[in-house]
Amino acid sequence: MSYSRPRLWTLGIVLFAACTSPAGAPPEEGFVEVDGARLFYRAIGEGETIVVVHGGPGLDHTYLLPGMARLAETHRVIFYDQRALGRSSGETAAPGVSFDGYVEDLDRLREALGIEAMNLLGHSWGAFLATGYALRHPENLASLILVSPVEPGRRYLARAAQNQRARQTTRDSALLDSLMSTPAVQNREPGAINAVFRVSFRSTFSDPTRAEDLVVDFPERTIANGSQVASLVMGPLGDYDLWGQLGGITAPTLVVHGDRDPIPADMARAMADSLVNAEFVLLEEAGHFPFVERPDVLFPSIERFLADLRSEP
């Protein structure tokens, strides 16, 4: 099976780093049994719970660390790996590995961990999955936070692709072409695939040099299954379009997007406008990974949003 260049809905990286709570306590780690699989989860911090959905499809939660761990300064934050990825088991086959299957896995995780109503945060494609969850299980949602969301349709797809191409340097484009032609990439060798993603992500940053702050080191299961998972999850959706359904989401929602994300900020703003109860925050000088480039604005915005919800009568 060939390995294609990462698409905009596969934006994500894997960062392997030890992650502890702000107080230095080790994280709580474990597995939740779901139909035919075991989902790995990692919980850090204390307080009101936030469940974080990683991007992909075909990646795992580790790229969010240590950046997103800052949420644990004031909250209990739960990260998990989607089925058949990272440390989560499961066969790479439908119906478990599918958009609907991943939505139901998320609900089973919530139930197993005893969370009555989730504050659900999705990054990149994870925001698309979180949106699907909000449509399917509104009764189990306290709030929705969409960070650098991919589009829930295809109105802005061409612009997003054009933006990414325009921000890719001639040198990086040539390097990618060279890497993609190697047998190592076609054979899905970890070092080669990691190199492809390292170069690809530069064009998603406001400041490409900040991409060096990301350690790309995919685990074996994610490398082995990622491409197949992406096909199984996205393929059956065809020309998906959730734009017309967004008005059915009533949970308080925060949409946060960087002004230099290849995915147009106009798209994210339109998402917020389409939702019943949403606010939009534009992060200046930020690309697709604002927890790396603009943590000074991203996390206070999330904390203010959640604090305002707590103060409502």
Side-chain angles (χ1 to χ4, degrees):
M1 182 182 295
S2 64
Y3 196 89
S4 60
R5 283 192 185 184
R7 300 181 184 179
L8 284 169
W9 45 260
T10 60
L11 288 172
I13 56 98
V14 175
L15 174 61
F16 286 101
C19 181
T20 61
S21 70
E28 171 195 340
E29 297 182 348
F31 295 86
V32 168
E33 301 284 344
V34 296
D35 295 340
R38 300 173 75 225
L39 300 182
F40 172 78
Y41 74 91
R42 170 180 290 175
I44 57 175
E46 296 180 350
E48 186 180 8
T49 298
I50 301 173
V51 177
V52 180
V53 186
H54 65 76
L59 302 178
D60 60 55
H61 87 281
T62 49
Y63 79 88
L64 296 167
L65 302 173
M68 280 290 186
R70 180 166 165 178
L71 289 169
E73 293 178 1
T74 51
H75 294 82
R76 181 173 186 248
V77 186
I78 297 174
F79 301 93
Y80 78 103
D81 292 335
Q82 291 155 23
R83 183 188 291 245
L85 300 164
R87 293 174 65 180
S88 291
S89 67
E91 297 296 324
T92 51
V97 177
S98 66
F99 185 75
D100 289 342
Y102 275 8
V103 167
E104 295 310 310
D105 280 353
L106 178 54
D107 197 54
R108 294 186 184 99
L109 177 75
R110 174 201 63 81
E111 185 176 19
L113 296 180
I115 306 169
E116 184 174 349
M118 289 191 292
N119 294 302
L120 188 61
L121 186 155
H123 172 253
S124 188
W125 181 83
F128 182 59
L129 183 58
T131 300
Y133 184 90
L135 290 167
R136 185 73 58 83
H137 296 287
E139 72 281 1
N140 298 330
L141 201 62
S143 72
L144 186 62
I145 303 169
L146 308 177
V147 178
S148 307
V150 299
E151 183 184 353
R154 297 176 178 270
R155 299 177 188 175
Y156 297 81
L157 193 61
R159 279 181 58 192
Q162 182 181 17
N163 286 343
Q164 190 164 16
R165 286 193 300 269
R167 295 175 190 178
Q168 190 172 81
T169 66
T170 301
R171 178 184 177 187
D172 283 349
S173 182
L175 181 55
L176 278 173
D177 288 341
S178 177
L179 289 169
M180 296 301 297
S181 67
T182 63
V185 167
Q186 298 304 315
N187 293 332
R188 304 174 64 84
E189 294 179 13
I193 293 176
N194 289 338
V196 168
F197 276 86
R198 288 191 192 101
V199 178
S200 296
F201 290 130
R202 292 175 190 164
S203 61
T204 72
F205 280 77
S206 174
D207 176 0
T209 65
R210 295 301 305 276
E212 300 303 318
D213 295 337
L214 298 172
V215 178
V216 182
D217 191 5
F218 286 84
E220 183 176 350
R221 181 174 288 160
T222 300
I223 291 174
N225 296 342
S227 181
Q228 187 176 0
V229 165
S231 296
L232 286 168
V233 171
M234 297 304 296
L237 294 180
D239 293 331
Y240 63 91
D241 191 335
L242 299 184
W243 280 108
Q245 301 180 49
L246 295 182
I249 297 175
T250 58
T253 303
L254 174 66
V255 181
V256 187
H257 208 77
D259 66 348
R260 294 288 295 167
D261 193 317
I263 300 171
D266 289 350
M267 187 286 300
R269 190 184 300 274
M271 282 188 69
D273 290 343
S274 299
L275 294 161
V276 174
N277 185 16
E279 63 176 283
F280 176 71
V281 173
L282 180 66
L283 303 179
E284 296 181 356
E285 299 181 0
H288 197 66
F289 299 92
F291 51 89
V292 173
E293 290 193 286
R294 293 308 307 270
D296 58 319
V297 182
L298 173 64
F299 294 110
S301 296
I302 294 173
E303 177 54 38
R304 177 196 51 76
F305 169 72
L306 293 174
D308 286 347
L309 294 183
R310 290 192 296 268
S311 65
E312 291 181 356

